[in-house]
Amino acid sequence: MAANDESGYDVIVLGAGPIGQNAAERARAAGLSVALVERELVGGECSYWACVPSKALLRPVIAVSEARQVDGAREAVSGSIGVAGVFGRRNRYVTNWDDSDQADWVGGIGATLVRGHGRLDGARRVAVTASDGATSVLTARHAVVICTGSRPVLPEVPGIDEARPWTNRQATDSSSVPERLAVVGAGGVGVEMATAWRGLGSQVTLLARGSGLLPRMEPFVGEFIGRGLADAGVDVRVGVSVRALRRPDGAAVTLELDDGSELVVDEVLFATGRAPLTDDIGLHTVGLTPGDWLDVDDTCQVRAVEDGWLYAAGDVNHRALLTHQGKYQGRIAGAAIGARAAGAAVDTAPWGRHATTADHYAVPQAFFTVPEAAAVGLTAQQAEHAGRRARTVDVQIGDVVTGAKLYADGYAGQARMVVDLDRGCLLGVTLVGPGVTEILHSATVAVAGEVPVDRLWHAVPCFPTVSELWLRLLEAYRDASDDN
């Protein structure tokens, strides 16, 4: 169809999820006019099919598990989880997949919401196709920011189309509990969804192709999570791959495994990676390859595009596929665009407010399993590969932290601190145990702020909280230093 008259804005943002919203808000704060383009729901994947619904499903499961770890409380826990109540809670937190409130927020910051599928149409131009097929063209005076996110990747396995597998979307928006569920993949989505659906009553089998769970974290984390899942009744199998699938006539799904065995389930969830949602956003019109990740500098400018008008934040730039990191990038990008539009200098130094330096060394991540897992910065192995001279210290949290013992009887967990011996500050911290996600930010501040270990001794943890762990880690580091 013929395009309508062009509309001009200072900034156009493709994708109105949390990353796009942060980029738009920061650009508006700089006094720039902004159009925010969205083809699905305002709020994006995180609000409706990922972070929010998954945590809404997981919290009741974890709450019950934690109650059962405390004498006097476990006696009050009887029966099974109220599935209808859990789904109702999930539905409230995703506002029944109604984005009206988030759409109102866009108007509230003074941005223009444009509904439809946005595609680049040459430099600083975006063509938007509405649901009725009508097309409009938007032009950007200063910048276009791509915040279109990522999609789940399904492996090329015979029978996968016939099997109609779940991805993260079905795993978080389903309102019926499969009697038997196979989860393929042992990353964050895999272990969290295995935790959630086992808690809701499914017989869950978790299949990990590698030798352990959460393979990008310290090895001990996967060991703790594996034991926790097994204790909850999950059948955890490592070193196993799916060779083929069958689902004739809508019956149960049969998974043929590479160890020669077969597994029959009612549903199968594949949590086996993500790909950028860049295949149909007009990248070819600006000399880029559709479907590629977008390489950016520390202000989120796309390196391969001349004149610096194209930015990419969030999953599409492949720096850290985490909502909080994408929001951080969106804020940086919006601020950098505002500064450049005003002709101001952009401070991209390590401590500058226009540089995504945390992407390089201080990325936090948390997984809501039983027990919980959290980490920021480098693992011991990553520090070694980076050529850092480092010392690693470990603490068994339940053995030495009074607050942990009070938090859960028989508290089982471990903490690791990786210290840069040359600079005297932290390179990374990893935690696994009940409630550790809520103390992760203290570690993030220490790593991102490059706080000297000598100064951390003066950050006094409140007694008796799990945060007393910090004192025990410092003591372990002191003792290890004295031994050398």
Side-chain angles (χ1 to χ4, degrees):
M1 297 182 67
N4 297 327
D5 292 339
E6 294 187 3
S7 298
Y9 297 88
D10 291 323
V11 180
I12 301 169
V13 181
L14 291 186
I19 291 83
Q21 290 176 0
N22 273 265
E25 190 278 332
R26 199 54 61 95
R28 283 294 301 134
L32 302 178
S33 61
V34 177
L36 197 54
V37 182
E38 177 55 53
R39 68 183 180 88
E40 288 191 302
L41 296 178
V42 179
E45 192 85 1
C46 174
S47 297
Y48 303 104
W49 297 286
C51 319
V52 172
S54 66
K55 303 317 171 283
L57 293 172
L58 282 158
R59 182 56 198 153
V61 174
I62 294 172
V64 169
S65 174
E66 291 187 339
R68 287 175 173 155
Q69 294 179 64
V70 180
D71 282 339
R74 69 169 58 91
E75 288 79 4
V77 180
S78 60
S80 57
I81 283 179
V83 172
V86 174
F87 289 148
R89 183 175 192 268
R90 184 269 320 272
N91 293 351
R92 290 195 303 276
Y93 277 98
V94 299
T95 60
N96 290 300
W97 293 273
D98 179 349
D99 68 355
S100 300
D101 288 345
Q102 298 213 46
D104 289 344
W105 178 89
V106 173
I109 67 168
T112 300
L113 176 62
V114 182
R115 292 190 181 270
H117 190 140
R119 299 175 177 88
L120 294 172
D121 187 30
R124 295 183 173 86
R125 286 169 55 90
V126 173
V128 183
T129 304
S131 58
D132 63 2
T135 301
S136 58
V137 174
L138 312 178
T139 59
R141 284 179 282 274
H142 296 293
V144 175
V145 190
I146 297 174
C147 305
T148 49
S150 63
R151 59 176 174 80
V153 173
L154 295 176
E156 295 182 1
V157 175
I160 193 147
D161 291 336
E162 177 184 312
R164 300 186 305 282
W166 280 9
T167 67
N168 67 287
R169 289 204 168 191
Q170 292 78 21
T172 56
D173 72 13
S174 176
S175 291
S176 61
V177 179
E179 182 178 345
R180 301 163 298 179
L181 173 67
V183 178
V184 183
V189 173
V191 296
E192 286 193 343
M193 290 300 94
T195 300
W197 287 100
R198 177 59 194 141
L200 292 170
S202 287
Q203 299 174 22
V204 176
T205 303
L206 178 65
L207 304 175
R209 183 173 61 182
S211 59
L213 313 185
L214 294 175
R216 296 185 180 181
M217 300 187 79
E218 297 281 11
F220 66 82
V221 173
E223 296 170 6
F224 273 89
I225 302 303
R227 288 196 294 270
L229 287 169
D231 289 346
V234 176
D235 180 4
V236 179
R237 306 185 192 180
V238 298
V240 178
S241 296
V242 178
R243 190 167 57 192
L245 302 102
R246 304 191 306 273
R247 191 174 199 167
D249 303 323
V253 186
T254 299
L255 288 75
E256 300 177 18
L257 307 180
D258 63 355
D259 62 2
S261 66
E262 291 189 346
L263 175 65
V264 180
V265 295
D266 299 289
E267 299 291 352
V268 56
L269 161 63
F270 276 88
T272 48
R274 309 283 296 182
L277 271 172
T278 60
D279 51 319
D280 189 20
I281 60 169
L283 290 184
H284 64 285
T285 70
V286 296
L288 300 176
T289 304
D292 276 1
W293 303 99
L294 299 174
D295 180 44
V296 299
D297 67 13
D298 280 348
T299 66
C300 293
Q301 273 187 332
V302 177
R303 298 182 199 270
V305 174
E306 294 182 356
D307 298 330
W309 60 270
L310 187 62
Y311 292 71
D315 285 9
V316 289
N317 65 32
H318 207 220
R319 285 187 161 211
L321 276 66
L322 298 162
T323 296
H324 45 274
Q325 289 300 120
K327 292 166 69 174
Y328 161 69
Q329 293 167 12
R331 294 191 293 272
I332 296 289
I337 291 166
R340 287 173 172 142
V346 172
D347 52 337
T348 58
W351 292 100
R353 65 189 181 93
H354 296 129
T356 54
T357 54
D359 286 346
H360 302 297
Y361 70 95
V363 175
Q365 55 185 325
F367 299 107
F368 296 82
T369 47
V370 179
E372 295 176 351
V376 61
L378 303 181
T379 64
Q381 185 179 63
Q382 289 166 345
E384 180 182 355
H385 288 170
R388 302 295 186 93
R389 199 169 67 90
R391 176 167 294 138
T392 299
V393 294
D394 292 279
V395 164
Q396 298 301 316
I397 303 173
D399 292 347
V400 297
V401 179
T402 303
K405 296 175 183 179
L406 293 169
Y407 190 96
D409 299 327
Y411 189 107
Q414 184 173 336
R416 171 168 290 178
M417 186 170 73
V418 182
V419 182
D420 187 320
L421 292 175
D422 294 318
R423 295 186 302 143
C425 58
L426 305 189
L427 291 171
V429 177
T430 298
L431 312 164
V432 61
V436 297
T437 58
E438 293 302 330
I439 61 173
L440 174 61
H441 193 59
S442 57
T444 302
V445 170
V447 173
E450 300 180 346
V451 181
V453 170
D454 288 347
R455 188 60 195 161
L456 284 176
W457 281 98
H458 299 280
V460 182
C462 186
F463 181 88
T465 67
V466 183
S467 291
E468 187 189 9
L469 166 66
W470 277 107
L471 178 57
R472 303 306 170 217
L473 282 168
L474 291 170
E475 291 171 342
Y477 178 68
R478 176 200 60 199
D479 294 343
S481 301
D482 290 344
D483 292 340
N484 290 276

